[in-house]
Amino acid sequence: MADSSGGKSVTLHDVAREAGVSLITASRALGNPGLVSAKTIARVQQAVEITGYIPNLLAGGLKSRRSLTVAALVPNIAVAQFIPTVKALTDALDAAGYQLILGQTGYDHAREEALLGTMISRRPDGIVITGLVHAQASRDRLRRSGIPVVETWDLSDRPVDMAVGFSHLKVGSAVAGYFLAKGWRRFGIATGDDQRAAVRREGFISTLGHDVPTARVPAPSSLGLGRQALRNLLAQDPTIQAIFCSSDQLAQGVMEEARARGLRIPEDLAICGFGDADFAADMAPSLTTVQVDGAGIGTLAAGLLLARCRGETVPEPVVDMGFRIVERGST
């Protein structure tokens, strides 16, 4: 970093001089504070503030072969269901001295592949991916890199490395079983066009044993797309009794459109979402949804990565977090 007096680079030598300690003591205070006293750490930190010194983390990473960063891929950071996972992941890594770097795939497999290539070249200490890695070339490259990888929000018996998630096929099947147990027989599905939503639809249809009217909208979902989806579904079958939505955002839009049409929820139309977003319980009526422990997924994914960074063997590299249907007013 250049100081304000004329462009001279501020170094650790300047920090040590300002703090009145040796170079090695200043280095330890910043990089391994457990080796020096609290009083010395305070003096060195004060010197850092005075001099404006910024540690060269890249140089330190080259020496230790650790970047102290973890890269994470999410489809879209604005999607409510992923926020608890990102927050928990960030908090757990931060507590261990690691920083999280986020990349958004936009539900685009080609973009996912390009981002993974960039992340691998930066050599993070770990990579967390929402969903399963799609391209075989990326899967092979990740394995060759030796970087610990956790695929989340999905399950596979052949993960790239580790996985923390649940079965989307079972989610769809469970919702279909729930609808049938209520005595409904005419269903519709409002779904995003992403792969995981498609698998949930597959599970739903498999349990029913027959196809149902389906409205597909571009991911990520929104209230407006939900309203559009219900218009589409009612055009296909005006007698639909219950709708399974691939997200709570989509369900929110379906409910708004239903109200605009004078339909009573759940008397005329029952609705189930997915994700248990923070607004789901506060809607009127409250939204029945599939609850997934997003925060738990983030915390466990961080724990697996940190264990691998410490050189430990992970006894259970694939963890099924499960899910549950939370019944509320909309059904």
Side-chain angles (χ1 to χ4, degrees):
M1 175 178 176
D3 68 20
S4 59
S5 63
K8 180 183 176 183
S9 178
V10 178
T11 69
L12 188 58
H13 290 273
D14 300 309
V15 174
R17 187 180 306 111
E18 180 68 33
V21 299
S22 68
L23 180 64
I24 187 64
T25 298
S27 178
R28 287 172 175 169
L30 295 175
N32 199 348
L35 298 178
V36 296
S37 68
K39 182 178 179 180
T40 299
I41 293 171
R43 287 169 60 189
V44 172
Q45 289 176 339
Q46 183 180 22
V48 167
E49 292 294 325
I50 292 171
T51 61
Y53 173 70
I54 298 178
N56 187 336
L57 296 180
L58 177 59
L62 291 173
K63 291 177 182 178
S64 66
R65 304 192 71 177
R66 288 286 175 86
S67 67
L68 295 181
T69 60
V70 169
L73 284 183
V74 294
N76 190 306
I77 191 59
V79 176
Q81 66 196 46
F82 300 132
I83 293 175
T85 300
V86 172
K87 184 181 184 304
L89 187 63
T90 301
D91 291 344
L93 292 172
D94 180 69
Y98 288 77
Q99 298 299 314
L100 187 70
I101 300 173
L102 278 179
Q104 295 188 90
T105 65
Y107 295 93
D108 185 325
H109 292 180
R111 186 173 177 184
E112 175 187 273
E113 190 171 2
L115 280 171
L116 281 173
T118 299
M119 288 178 170
I120 292 169
S121 68
R122 298 290 183 181
R123 302 298 303 179
D125 292 328
I127 296 177
V128 179
I129 301 160
T130 303
L132 304 177
V133 179
H134 300 98
Q136 187 60 47
S138 292
R139 297 175 67 84
D140 293 340
R141 189 175 180 188
L142 283 166
R143 290 190 177 110
R144 288 195 301 268
S145 75
I147 299 171
V149 176
V150 183
E151 294 165 286
T152 64
W153 279 84
D154 211 333
L155 283 181
S156 170
D157 56 0
R158 297 184 63 189
V160 170
D161 184 9
M162 299 174 284
V164 180
F166 56 95
S167 168
H168 291 268
L169 197 69
K170 289 181 179 179
V171 168
S173 177
V175 173
Y178 172 75
F179 279 10
L180 289 171
K182 288 284 188 179
W184 302 316
R185 291 298 180 268
R186 301 193 69 82
F187 309 122
I189 296 177
T191 178
D193 60 0
D194 59 286
Q195 185 177 27
R196 287 179 294 279
V199 173
R200 292 195 293 275
R201 180 185 183 279
E202 180 185 342
F204 189 94
I205 297 301
S206 177
T207 294
L208 290 184
H210 60 83
D211 206 349
V212 300
T214 299
R216 291 181 177 83
V217 300
S221 303
S222 67
L223 187 150
L225 289 173
R227 297 194 67 169
Q228 174 185 315
L230 181 56
R231 291 194 293 268
N232 184 313
L233 287 172
L234 292 178
Q236 295 180 59
D237 182 359
T239 67
I240 287 175
Q241 298 171 296
I243 296 175
F244 177 33
C245 302
S246 66
S247 74
D248 289 349
Q249 290 82 359
L250 209 55
Q252 185 181 35
V254 168
M255 290 174 71
E256 284 299 314
E257 182 66 20
R259 273 193 285 264
R261 290 169 173 261
L263 296 174
R264 299 168 301 162
I265 302 171
E267 293 84 357
D268 300 324
L269 185 66
I271 299 164
C272 177
F274 173 82
D276 197 20
D278 56 5
F279 59 78
D282 297 316
M283 295 180 66
S286 55
L287 177 63
T288 293
T289 186
V290 178
Q291 184 184 79
V292 176
D293 186 2
I297 289 174
T299 299
L300 186 52
L304 292 175
L305 285 181
L306 293 171
R308 290 284 300 279
C309 287
R310 293 190 297 266
E312 300 173 6
T313 300
V314 174
E316 291 186 54
V318 177
V319 181
D320 187 347
M321 296 291 288
F323 60 89
R324 70 187 185 101
I325 297 174
V326 180
E327 184 176 54
R328 297 192 180 112
S330 67
T331 57

